[in-house]
Every structure is written in structure tokens, then in C-alpha cells.
Amino acid sequence: MLSMQHISKVYRTELVETHALRDFSLDVSDGEFVAVSGPSGSGKTTFLNIAGLLETFSSGTYMLDGEDVSGLGDNERSRIRNRKIGFIFQSFNLIPDLDLFDNVDVPLRYRGLKAADRRERIEKALETVGLASRMKHVPAQLSGGQQQRVAIARALAGEPRFLLADEPTGNLDSLMARQVLDLLEDINEKGTTIIMVTHDPELARRAHRNVHVLDGQVTDLKPFDGGTPAVVNAGAGGGA
Amino acid sequence: MEIRPILSAMLRNKTGAVLVVLQIALTMAVVVNASFIINQRLEKMNRDTGIDVDNILIFQSWGFGDDYNHEASITRDIEYIRSMPGVIAVTPTRSLPVSNSGSANDFRATAERFDENNVEYPSVNANTYVWNEQGIDAVGVKLAAGRSFYAEEVQFRESRSSEFAPVTIITKDLAIKMFGTEDALGKTVYDFFGNAAEVVGIIEHMQGAWIDWDELTNVIISPGVSAGPFIRFMVRTEAGRRDELIAAIEEQLPKLDRGRMIRRVEPFSDVVRHAYSRDHSMTILLLSTIILLVSITSLGIIGLASFAVRQRTKQIGTRRAVGATRMDIVRYFMMENWLVTTIGVVLGSILALAFNVWLVDTYALDKLDWHYIPLGMLALWVLGQVAVLMPAMRASTIAPAVATRTV
Amino acid sequence: MFFYHMRMAIKSIRRNIVLSALMVAAIGIGIGVCMTAITVFYMMSSDPIPYKSDSLYAVQLNSWEAPGPYDADRPERLPELLTYRDAKALLDSEVPTRSVATYRSGFTLNPDNPDVSPMLVMSRFTTRNFFSMFDVPFLYGAPWDEATDRSGDSIAVLNYSINEEVFGGENSVGRTVELAGREFTVVGVMDRWEPVPKFYAVFNGAFEEAEEVFMPMLLNESWERQNYGNTNCWGDTPMNGFRDFLDSECTWVEFWVELNDAEQKSRYQDWLAGYIAEQKRLGRFPIENAGAEVHDVNEWMDYNEVVSADFRVLVGLAFMFLAVCLLNTVALLLAKFSGNAARVGLRRALGASKAMIFRQNLVEVGVIGIAGSLLGLGLAWLGLQGVRSINLGHYDRLVQMDANLVLFAVAISLLSAIIAGLYPTWRICQIPPATHLKTQ
């Protein structure tokens, strides 16, 4: 599904070079639910941005769904983001003056789908997250958990191959967080690959596999206390 | 207050700052040059005509028909108007002063045109008018010396004749040009045909026909009545009675003689206003331009500053949280505006001068008076500070607690 | 997708309603001011007779005498008008396709209809070719014939408006009018004809109405009506009466010729040179290198500064004004779009390509531009009313917008909005998708 080999990312300013990722390698198989953790500044977000094709990288190779995405141009990358990847952000990133329907509609618009097709997908996605009845509400009328569920609906509506979630429960209380996580597990069970960045061990434990990032590299497997031991080695497995 | 952090913040948003600087510079270039032109036109319009403009009415008389007798008609009209209560004096004239229409001729202080070495003596161009013995009073000009014409000096003239009456009244400006510091009274003026006339009176000050003419105040008046059948009249009335007399003349005069038409009985001030209508329009158009431009620029500054305040809400809150007073916040925005405006007006001064050079070269306008540059700078500084004040005040009301809010 | 862009644009405009209103106002006022100036300028400098303006020439002869040049400030200039005797002599040249001499006068008109009271009419003494040379349309009758040019009979051509006034618009050919006490027979009635500018006589009001009565020039040699307009004289030969005036060195007659090609033009210039040489032998044209000049219609408009320097300055200022308004708009758009950065980043993350973002923002700029241009058109209309009111009724004929100008206004405002919007739109497309997603 996803295979990163020896990726490195260097940020240059006039004064310093920062190695956000160095020789970063990770393979994720189809249908996996992977939690990525690490202290802040470790390179989690950079990893997520690169995985989501939001940023380019300095060297290495990245195969996504069997396609080498290393040298793709901006338009191609936009297209892949639109079709294969769903994003879920810590701060939801809903557009405040669009109602739920229009919010979920955004990525579908860029795919150029027919109106009827879009409507069907939007309704289905909102149904999946249990908010079909509030289609005409704007985000401000919803609780944080509901907003995040809208964001998940937006990610799902495009029927992506995998979801990238960045601290999806970071802004939520524990009850809501649990509901969101339940939802993600459901989605994963239906076959969508999920990569979730989090530093909450509780959340990480529910993933199939935990990856720990430190100083821009994947460190040795470090299972959480009492967690299900992960089976897959970082760097092993190969592209799916 | 430190300028450096403001400067570096501006440098981070170079394009925005450059746009505002350019806008202010262009605004200054336009405002400075436009107000300079306006001021010049106002000065021009406010020049002293030397004439009692507000108490004079004018009209035209057109003779037609076989039995029209110019001499009899005019003599009777003058007599009739003179007898109307409120009339001070009346004179026929071919053309009106300050009307952009009239005639001018060359005059010399010597009878001969050339000296013994066949070098031409200097001649002076002057507006010529032909008035009767009431002319000086009817036009309301002041005699500085000498006398008005006598009635017996006033003759009826032939059309297109080059005769020159033996006495004349000239303006002081013309006297100085012809005779220098000598007393011109009693001196002889020669026309181009060599006819002589004695200067019997000197008018303190009076404008001639063409308002844009350099020699506007060179005026020479001959006694007489111009040939018909077309003639104009100037009638001076007692203060405040002009309009009633306009109505009376319009009503009564045509009845005296059906062989001529009375047309356009109107205040002389209308003629003067019409003569200056181009300058008047120019000042109004320029003034509108300035007002609109200044509004656009200040609204732009207000808009940008308000937007910046909204964008920087958190930053401002943080500053407040770490101890900035409300005054500090206001001062920050004022200082920022002051810096941008200062760069703008410096550039604007150069642009204003360049624009002026172009105007001088292309349209022969006058060179900009340097005072306008500092005045323009000052005006734009004030404009900027006033415009930014409201958004800055709004910024200062942002609560420090904003800093701790997450979203 | 266009409607989606449109819907998003309207939402975005409503989100920043004040800023958007400011932009619309800035574009609108800029366009309004600019269009007002351009309209007046366009009308003033329009070619009054476009299909033959390059074959009609005003003729100047340097009959002026030393020592002073005709125009002391610009010594290279010749008198704009001809002496009467030169005008008559030039009429005899067979080189031009047509030649016309003309000058203006005015007098009373006493209709034979007792219901119409006497009135003043502006008139023009001229030769018959005036009408064919300047393509004057006729409603009734025709210009006088060549014989009348030579006989100077008391006949007249009326223009449309005076025929309306005196004869109620009827065919008045063959009827008589009394002009300044003399009876004239009407031979022709012109249709409406008001060239703007009044190119055939630009002095004393290039934007005034055309004259009302036209009559053979020769007739005035005995009738002796005073000419109107600029009359410049030199010399010390005394004048006694109109006959002397006609023979004098005073310049006051407008003279036009029609020359259809370069060869004819150069032949005419040779002819003029010959004429001057001949006159020099008779003791006239005392200036050493006295010459002749011909200017076609548009050159003549420039030569006589029909569009005053004031108006040119105003047009220049109007464009600077527009520039300020556009800078203003660019600055506001940049600010507005920078406020949209988070949104744009999100849309990019969700798969919008740069081109899509570009189109989205261009639609928004377009909406603002169209609103601005509509406002601008309205303001230009108001501005023209304003110009009309402050010119004391002088420039009425100049302040009308035609379809061309409206199209031009729409084009210039859209273009302005797009120019103003292009850079901010391009800038916003450069926003990398990853920024602004993490925190707000």
C-alpha cells in the first residue's frame, strides 16, 4: 500500500539546515491500522505531510498504491490526494461558512463527479458518521466530536485507499474521542488503510501496529505496556 | 517605541507595503500638482478686474430694416436708460472687457515708426475700447489722474475705419509700458497709422478682453460710438438695483423702436463668469479628483489596517498579555503607518516633481512652487495617521485573554 | 464547476463584505473618473469626417510682415486665416478637386410670417463647394450653382433648425426670408449637420453649433456685413470702410482644399509657392522666406489645440487616479486572499490543483470587477452630468456616451480588475497545501 524507503527531508533556511526526516523507511500493508507516535519535533508531522503528498522530500523513494510518487508534479499530486487519500486533522479544518453537505462536497467537487453521484456519496458518508440529519447545519452548530465526524465523512466520501489522521482526538474529550476512534476502527474493518499520528498511548494501543519516530527516524519497535505486540518490522514487508 | 521590529514585520510582507507606498506616492503626486493648479486658477480668477462687475448690466442691440438709424437709435436709447431711476451711467461699446473677445492694436510713443537708422521704435499692444463720455462711470473704473471724455469729443464712427480720436484714456499699466516713470498725462500716443491722441486720463487699473493674455491690463479707450447696426451697451446701476433694471430694460426698451432688436439683457458678472468658465471647471474637476483620491486612499488604509488587526488578533492579545498598554498597541499601528507613509511621501515628492516637469514641458504649465512638497507631505502624514487611528483604537481593545485561547 | 466557483466567490465576498465593498468602490470610482475624462476626450478629439479627413486640407499663407512674427511666442507659426484677396485668388486654382473660402457673420432674421418674431442668426459666407466638400446633407433643394458663386445673388441655404423655426420644417425652397433688411430666396435646406468638433472653423468655439444660414461669399462685397471671429491686421495703410478692409492685409478667411493624393498635394504646394512668388513681385508677402502650409483635418485639430491642454492634463490625472485605485485594489485583494490562506491550504490538501484554486479566485475577482465596472459606469454617467453642469452649458454635445464607450468602459474595468486580481490570485496559488492545517 505504502512504502517509504530512505526518505529524508531537509528544511533549509538562511542560517540552518534542519533534518526533519533522515533515512526514514516504513511499509504499510493494505488494510493496516498503524499508529505513529513520537515526541513533538520528532518528525511525525513531516512524515504525515509527505505521506499525504502535501510536501515533497529531499531524497528516497515513496511508492503509494504501487505507484512511484517521488517525481510527480503538483497537479498529479493533487489528483492522488483527491482520489486516494483522506485527511483527518486535529483541528477538524472544516470551512465555517459552508454547511455539512458543502463541506463534505469539497473534495468531490475537485474530482469532477456528477451532481447525483456526489449527492449519493455525501449522504452515505454523513450517514456513516451518524450526521445525515444535520446536513444543512454549519460547523459552529456542532460539538467538537460531531465536527470531527464531519471531517471523517469528508475524508470517507471520496472512498480513499487510505486515511491519514493527525491527532484526530487531540481536541476532544475522552467520550467523544472514543466515539471517533470507534468510527475509525469501523472504517478500517471495512478495508481502508489508516495511518494515525498520535502521542496518546491509549489510542495507539488500538492500532494494529505502532511505529515510533524519534529524530526523524523510525526507532526500534517499542510496544506499549500491555499492548498487543506488533508483528511487522519497520522496513520489512515491501510494497503491496 | 522601537522601529526595527515594525520594519522587519513590514519586510516580511514586502508586496503589501510596496503597494501602499506606491499608492501614497501617486496620491501625493496627484494631490500636490492638482492643488498647485487649483491655487493658480483661483489666483487668476480672483485678480482685480478694476471694473464694478456686480453692478453692471449689459445688452445687445441689433438694427435691421431699411429705416434703422444707428445714430438716432443709440442717442435715444442712452437718453432713455439714463432717465431710469437707479442708473448711474450708460455707454455703447463694441466689445466687453473680460469676455475673451475684443480687439487690440499696436501703439507707439513716437510719431515716426523708424528712427534715422531705420530701426523700429518699440510699440505696445493694447486692448482698445470705444466709449462715450459716461464710459468711465458706466464701467466703474477709477481714474487715477486726468478726466473723462467730454460729450463733444464723442463722435459716431464709420465701420472698419482707421480713424483715431485726438484724445484718449489709458490704463496705468499701459502708461508705464509706454512712458516708463514719466507722468503720462498730457503725453501723446500714436497709432500705427501715425495718428496722434493726447492722454487726458489715466485709469488706475482695468482688465481688457482676453483673460489668458499677458497684456491683459494694457487698455486704451477712445471717445466715440462704434458703427452699427450691431452694438452693445454697458449700464452701471446703483448697488442692488441691477436685477430690477434688467427686467425694466428688457420690458421697455424694445418698445422705443421696432427697427432694432434688444437681445441678451443680462448681468455683466455672467460674462465674466463665462470667460472664466474653463478655469472654473478645471478647479472643480481637480478638486473632485483630489477629494475622491484622498477618500480612496484613506479608505484603503483603513481597510488594510482593519484587516491587519483582525489577522493579528492573537499577536496583539499576546502583546497585551506580556504587558503592552493599550496606548502601546495604538502606537504600534500608528508607527507602522507613519513608516509606510514616510517612504511613500519621499517617493511621492520625486513623483510630484517629475509629473510637474512633464506638465511644464508638455503643456507649458508653471513650475511647481516648492512649498507644495512639504505641505503635501504633511497632508499625507496627517491623512495616514487619521485613517489608521480607528483600526488602531479597535486593536487596543483586544483583550489579553485572547492569547491563551487556542482557536 | 463555474457555478460552484461562483457560489464560493459570493460566500467569500460576504465573509469580507467591508473589504469587498471597498474594492468594488475603488474599482468603480477609478473607472468612473477615468471614463468621464475619456468620454470628454474621445468626443473632443474624435475625427469629425473620418472617411475623408486625410484629403481635406486647411491652407495657410505667410502674408505677415516683419519685424514681429505672427505669433511672438511661437515664431514658426503662420496666420491661421487668409486675407480676403488671397482667399479669392486661391479659389481660382484648378489644382485641388475643390476649394472653399468661408467666414462667419451674424444678423437679424425677420420672417415674413408675422407669428414668428425677429431673431438673430449665425451665418456663414462661403462658396458652393462648401456643401460637397464637407458632405453636408440636404433635406430640400441643393446648394447654389457656380454662376451664383460669381454673381453673388441674394440666395440662402438654411440649416435644419432654422428651417424648423421659421418655416415649421416645411420645404421652404423658393420662399423668402428677410436677413438684416434684405430679402433672400431659399435655394436649399440642410438636414441635421453638426460636426463635432466644428472642424471647418475651430476658432471661437470648436464645440459650438454649426451656423444657421449659408450664403454666397461674393454677395457681401456690396452688402458689407461685418465678419465675426478672429481678425488680425498689420500695416499702416489707413482703412476707410469695408472695401478697404477687403483689400487690406487683415487675415480672417478660412480656406480649405480637397487634395486626393500625394501627387495632387505636391502639385498644389508648388502652385502656392508660385502664387507667393508672384505676389512678392507685386510687393506683398514681405517676409523673406514667406511660405505656405497645408494641414489635413486631424493635423489642423492638433495645430489649433482643439483639445485644450487642461483636458489633456485631466486625462493624465484620471489615469493616475485609476492607477491609485488599482493599487488600492491589489493591496486589498492581497490582504483578503492572505486571510484565505488556511482555506486554500485545506482545499489543496483535499485535492484541488493550483489551476482550480486559480480559477476559483479569478471568478471572485471577476465578480468584484463586474460589480466595480457597473458602479463605474453609473459613476461615469453621474460624472458626465457633473461635467455638463459645471461647463455652463458649453460642452453639452461632448458628454454623451455611445455604445463604443460603454463597451470600452466594461472592457477597461474588467481588464483593470483582472490586472489587479492576477497577482494576488497567483500568489495565493503558491500556498503550499501543508501549511495552516495543523493549527489555526
Side-chain angles (χ1 to χ4, degrees):
Chain A
M1 176 75 235
L2 175 152
S3 168
M4 286 185 176
Q5 302 300 331
H6 313 296
I7 298 274
S8 62
K9 172 78 184 177
V10 184
Y11 291 106
R12 283 195 182 82
T13 65
E14 284 162 29
L15 298 173
V16 285
E17 279 192 358
T18 317
H19 289 263
L21 291 182
R22 54 179 99 205
D23 199 19
F24 185 100
S25 298
L26 177 68
D27 286 279
V28 176
S29 318
D30 219 348
E32 254 195 299
F33 187 166
V34 177
V36 178
S37 59
S40 84
S42 60
K44 298 192 299 281
T45 302
T46 306
F47 156 70
L48 201 73
N49 285 346
I50 289 174
L53 299 186
L54 296 172
E55 270 182 49
T56 54
F57 43 92
S58 314
S59 65
T61 55
Y62 176 15
M63 304 284 289
L64 179 64
D65 203 13
E67 187 180 357
D68 185 357
V69 296
S70 316
L72 294 180
D74 192 87
N75 282 341
E76 226 9 65
R77 295 154 63 84
S78 297
R79 207 183 58 79
I80 294 176
R81 279 202 301 275
N82 187 262
R83 283 160 194 255
K84 295 191 175 171
I85 307 172
F87 288 97
I88 301 164
F89 308 99
Q90 178 178 6
S91 49
F92 324 142
N93 285 341
L94 297 175
I95 298 176
D97 49 3
L98 297 184
D99 62 24
L100 303 194
F101 184 94
D102 280 338
N103 260 295
V104 178
D105 190 28
V106 170
L108 303 182
R109 285 282 179 173
Y110 296 124
R111 198 184 287 195
L113 297 174
K114 290 250 176 352
D117 191 7
R118 290 202 322 268
R119 169 162 291 277
E120 198 180 306
R121 281 166 180 257
I122 295 164
E123 282 169 356
K124 197 175 134 213
L126 282 170
E127 214 146 312
T128 309
V129 301
L131 287 167
S133 59
R134 314 191 65 168
M135 213 149 9
K136 291 293 157 199
H137 288 69
V138 291
Q141 294 168 305
L142 305 180
S143 70
Q146 286 170 323
Q147 288 193 36
Q148 192 59 301
R149 275 150 60 194
V150 176
I152 292 169
R154 179 176 64 192
L156 286 180
E159 291 169 1
R161 295 298 311 275
F162 77 110
L163 279 182
L164 287 173
D166 186 7
E167 302 279 6
T169 58
N171 284 355
L172 302 177
D173 63 36
S174 53
L175 178 66
M176 285 179 174
R178 210 164 306 133
Q179 287 174 350
V180 165
L181 210 65
D182 289 347
L183 194 54
L184 287 179
E185 273 183 339
D186 276 357
I187 293 163
N188 178 244
E189 270 161 28
K190 286 176 188 147
T192 308
T193 312
I194 297 182
I195 298 175
M196 176 172 71
V197 167
T198 181
H199 51 244
D200 181 350
E202 187 78 15
L203 290 183
R205 204 171 298 137
R206 294 176 68 165
H208 298 160
R209 174 155 71 108
N210 279 297
V211 173
H212 195 71
V213 182
L214 194 64
D215 287 339
Q217 279 181 311
V218 177
T219 58
D220 288 340
L221 192 70
K222 183 188 153 223
F224 292 105
D225 292 351
T228 320
V231 273
V232 189
N233 237 346
Chain B
M1 165 131 307
E2 272 224 69
I3 291 179
R4 214 172 35 80
I6 301 179
L7 256 180
S8 60
M10 261 163 53
L11 285 177
R12 252 174 282 127
N13 178 19
K14 256 178 259 154
T15 327
V18 165
L19 288 168
V20 179
V21 162
L22 281 178
Q23 193 182 339
I24 288 171
L26 269 175
T27 303
M28 168 150 168
V30 171
V31 167
V32 161
N33 279 285
S35 33
F36 175 61
I37 298 173
I38 288 177
N39 225 338
Q40 280 195 315
R41 298 300 162 97
L42 287 180
E43 269 173 31
K44 181 178 164 194
M45 285 191 274
N46 289 334
R47 287 177 304 187
D48 180 18
T49 58
I51 299 166
D52 188 11
V53 174
D54 290 328
N55 295 313
I56 294 172
L57 68 89
I58 54 164
F59 64 89
Q60 306 175 352
S61 167
W62 297 71
F64 64 96
D66 296 334
D67 49 354
Y68 172 71
N69 183 327
H70 189 60
E71 210 169 313
S73 173
I74 285 184
T75 311
R76 189 201 46 234
D77 285 347
I78 291 173
E79 224 166 89
Y80 186 83
I81 294 167
R82 201 61 212 278
S83 71
M84 296 171 92
V87 169
I88 295 174
V90 50
T91 182
T93 180
R94 180 146 192 94
S95 59
L96 300 169
V98 209
S99 65
N100 286 334
S101 161
S103 65
N105 289 300
D106 284 328
F107 297 92
R108 277 193 306 268
T110 56
E112 302 302 318
R113 189 171 160 191
F114 299 99
D115 65 13
E116 58 273 20
N117 300 321
N118 211 27
V119 174
E120 191 165 18
Y121 285 113
S123 63
V124 181
N125 210 239
N127 273 156
T128 54
Y129 293 99
V130 177
W131 293 344
N132 70 4
E133 74 282 2
Q134 300 173 45
I136 298 295
D137 276 347
V139 180
V141 288
K142 222 169 87 204
L143 279 184
R147 60 168 175 88
S148 284
F149 300 127
Y150 297 136
E152 57 269 26
E153 289 165 347
V154 176
Q155 307 283 322
F156 279 84
R157 301 190 153 207
E158 290 290 316
S159 154
R160 291 289 174 203
S161 82
S162 47
E163 66 185 284
F164 191 41
V167 291
T168 186
I169 297 175
I170 63 177
T171 54
K172 206 177 222 172
D173 284 348
L174 179 59
I176 291 168
K177 276 177 196 131
M178 295 189 80
F179 305 106
T181 51
E182 294 171 50
D183 184 6
L185 201 64
K187 288 258 183 350
T188 307
V189 171
Y190 297 88
D191 72 1
F192 234 69
F193 308 106
N195 301 316
E198 186 197 342
V199 178
V200 296
I202 292 174
I203 294 172
E204 182 66 46
H205 174 77
M206 178 193 159
Q207 290 186 345
W210 303 281
I211 57 165
D212 289 311
W213 194 34
D214 295 339
E215 323 270 20
L216 177 60
T217 54
N218 287 2
V219 180
I220 183 163
I221 296 157
S222 291
V225 177
S226 298
F230 167 75
I231 194 85
R232 286 188 172 89
F233 285 86
M234 292 180 85
V235 181
R236 183 151 155 257
T237 70
E238 288 166 10
R241 304 194 63 174
R242 182 192 67 190
D243 294 345
E244 69 182 80
L245 278 158
I246 287 178
I249 285 177
E250 205 156 27
E251 214 257 326
Q252 294 162 27
L253 217 59
K255 293 179 192 157
L256 300 182
D257 185 352
R258 303 272 175 204
R260 54 121 173 79
M261 281 194 298
I262 301 299
R263 281 289 179 271
R264 304 194 56 176
V265 189
E266 58 192 5
F268 177 60
S269 51
D270 283 4
V271 171
V272 177
R273 205 172 58 230
H274 190 255
Y276 281 105
S277 64
R278 233 162 79 172
D279 297 295
H280 183 75
S281 315
M282 187 73 172
T283 54
I284 289 188
L285 291 172
L286 288 175
L287 196 65
S288 324
T289 307
I290 291 179
I291 291 172
L292 282 173
L293 193 58
V294 164
S295 326
I296 287 279
T297 302
S298 32
L299 283 177
I301 292 172
I302 294 174
L304 286 175
S306 307
F307 193 81
V309 171
R310 227 168 74 193
Q311 292 286 99
R312 292 190 220 160
T313 302
K314 187 147 186 183
Q315 192 204 103
I316 295 163
T318 310
R319 279 171 190 275
R320 295 276 283 129
V322 299
T325 63
R326 297 177 67 160
M327 201 52 220
D328 288 334
I329 302 295
V330 173
R331 220 178 294 148
Y332 179 91
F333 281 96
M334 303 278 272
M335 184 67 97
E336 190 181 55
N337 174 273
W338 185 83
L339 270 175
V340 173
T341 311
T342 303
I343 304 172
V345 293
V346 169
L347 188 64
S349 309
I350 300 168
L351 267 182
L353 287 171
F355 187 39
N356 179 250
V357 166
W358 179 74
L359 289 177
V360 171
D361 281 358
T362 319
Y363 301 121
L365 261 57
D366 285 327
K367 250 178 91 176
L368 187 69
D369 179 353
W370 68 269
H371 288 107
Y372 281 79
I373 296 285
L375 280 176
M377 286 176 142
L378 195 69
L380 278 152
W381 265 318
V382 172
L383 175 82
Q385 295 289 292
V386 169
V388 86
L389 191 62
M390 198 184 69
M393 297 292 278
R394 186 130 37 83
S396 74
T397 62
I398 289 172
V402 171
T404 56
R405 239 174 269 153
T406 41
V407 182
Chain C
M1 205 63 191
F2 175 75
F3 290 102
Y4 183 69
H5 285 329
M6 195 66 157
R7 200 151 62 85
M8 292 302 121
I10 288 167
K11 273 188 189 295
S12 166
I13 286 166
R14 281 176 45 186
R15 194 163 54 239
N16 287 301
I17 189 75
V18 176
L19 220 54
S20 307
L22 267 177
M23 283 184 262
V24 171
I27 294 179
I29 294 175
I31 296 295
V33 167
C34 216
M35 278 315 296
T36 306
I38 287 173
T39 303
V40 176
F41 186 79
Y42 167 87
M43 297 302 283
M44 275 189 159
S45 54
S46 61
D47 188 337
I49 184 161
Y51 46 92
K52 64 194 301 193
S53 57
D54 53 353
S55 57
L56 303 183
Y57 293 86
V59 181
Q60 290 175 279
L61 296 177
N62 199 355
S63 59
W64 209 251
E65 188 224 19
Y70 171 71
D71 183 339
D73 295 333
R74 292 171 296 183
E76 74 285 357
R77 285 172 77 99
L78 274 49
E80 292 86 6
L81 302 167
L82 262 51
T83 64
Y84 186 75
R85 53 198 288 187
D86 288 330
K88 278 188 79 177
L90 261 56
L91 279 176
D92 290 337
S93 170
E94 277 165 5
V95 179
T97 311
R98 296 184 179 95
S99 303
V100 165
T102 178
Y103 64 92
R104 195 178 189 221
S105 186
F107 27 72
T108 54
L109 183 151
N110 202 8
D112 55 2
N113 182 351
D115 298 338
V116 185
S117 50
M119 60 190 86
L120 293 175
V121 289
M122 284 300 134
S123 72
R124 186 158 282 284
F125 290 108
T126 186
T127 49
R128 67 183 292 270
N129 281 337
F130 181 93
F131 305 99
S132 50
M133 187 188 247
F134 299 135
D135 280 319
V136 180
F138 270 72
L139 204 56
Y140 307 116
W144 56 83
D145 55 21
E146 229 177 310
T148 312
D149 259 351
R150 285 190 299 270
S151 65
D153 292 339
S154 294
I155 54 100
V157 168
L158 305 185
N159 85 341
Y160 183 87
S161 59
I162 201 77
N163 189 57
E164 282 283 313
E165 225 172 311
V166 179
F167 295 106
E170 285 172 35
N171 183 351
S172 58
V173 172
R175 308 268 298 263
T176 57
V177 280
E178 191 191 304
L179 294 163
R182 184 189 276 222
E183 195 148 281
F184 281 77
T185 308
V186 177
V187 297
V189 176
M190 294 158 54
D191 204 345
R192 291 176 205 276
W193 185 66
E194 291 290 350
V196 177
K198 197 171 130 189
F199 65 97
Y200 60 88
V202 293
F203 318 103
N204 314 107
F207 300 103
E208 293 201 344
E209 290 175 356
E211 291 75 14
E212 297 158 303
V213 180
F214 295 75
M215 45 189 62
M217 190 171 79
L218 197 75
L219 134 86
N220 201 35
E221 287 194 11
S222 55
W223 201 27
E224 302 192 352
R225 312 311 301 186
Q226 281 244 26
N227 67 306
Y228 283 14
N230 297 358
T231 305
N232 290 289
C233 305
W234 61 272
D236 46 16
T237 319
M239 259 189 277
N240 276 302
F242 198 74
R243 188 69 241 174
D244 285 355
F245 176 62
L246 292 181
D247 291 337
S248 73
E249 289 291 356
C250 296
T251 61
W252 48 285
V253 183
E254 280 123 16
F255 200 88
W256 288 86
V257 290
E258 184 172 341
L259 303 169
N260 297 99
D261 54 46
E263 182 270 335
Q264 195 180 13
K265 185 178 168 188
S266 87
R267 248 190 320 133
Y268 190 58
Q269 277 164 326
D270 291 346
W271 189 91
L272 289 174
Y275 174 74
I276 291 173
E278 177 194 306
Q279 292 295 309
K280 265 184 174 299
R281 281 194 291 278
L282 297 172
R284 296 187 59 228
F285 289 79
I287 290 182
E288 202 175 327
N289 46 3
E293 276 181 26
V294 294
H295 294 276
D296 74 19
V297 173
N298 289 311
E299 289 166 1
W300 193 237
M301 302 293 104
D302 282 347
Y303 187 88
N304 292 295
E305 288 160 26
V306 163
V307 181
S308 69
D310 275 5
F311 267 107
R312 291 175 192 272
V313 171
L314 281 173
V315 171
L317 281 176
F319 275 102
M320 287 175 83
F321 191 103
L322 182 60
V324 170
C325 290
L326 291 186
L327 283 172
N328 199 331
T329 307
V330 177
L332 291 171
L333 270 177
L334 270 181
K336 183 173 147 75
F337 283 178
S338 83
N340 281 355
R343 252 168 250 266
V344 170
L346 174 65
R347 283 181 184 272
R348 292 280 283 131
L350 296 179
S353 64
K354 281 185 181 179
M356 286 167 176
I357 298 294
F358 190 83
R359 279 199 292 273
Q360 167 67 64
N361 285 285
L362 212 57
V363 168
E364 187 173 336
V365 169
V367 168
I368 288 172
I370 288 169
S373 69
L374 289 178
L375 179 69
L377 274 181
L379 289 177
W381 184 81
L382 273 182
L384 289 176
Q385 303 306 312
V387 171
R388 194 179 302 208
S389 72
I390 57 171
N391 272 290
L392 306 168
H394 236 60
Y395 295 113
D396 270 25
R397 275 140 28 95
L398 296 174
V399 293
Q400 297 148 359
M401 263 198 170
D402 60 12
N404 276 344
L405 280 169
V406 172
L407 278 180
F408 182 69
V410 172
I412 201 177
S413 45
L414 275 184
L415 198 72
S416 308
I418 287 170
I419 288 171
L422 224 45
Y423 175 71
T425 308
W426 176 81
R427 267 268 292 252
I428 198 163
C429 293
Q430 306 311 311
I431 290 176
T435 45
H436 305 289
L437 290 174
K438 192 91 176 133
T439 48
Q440 285 179 338

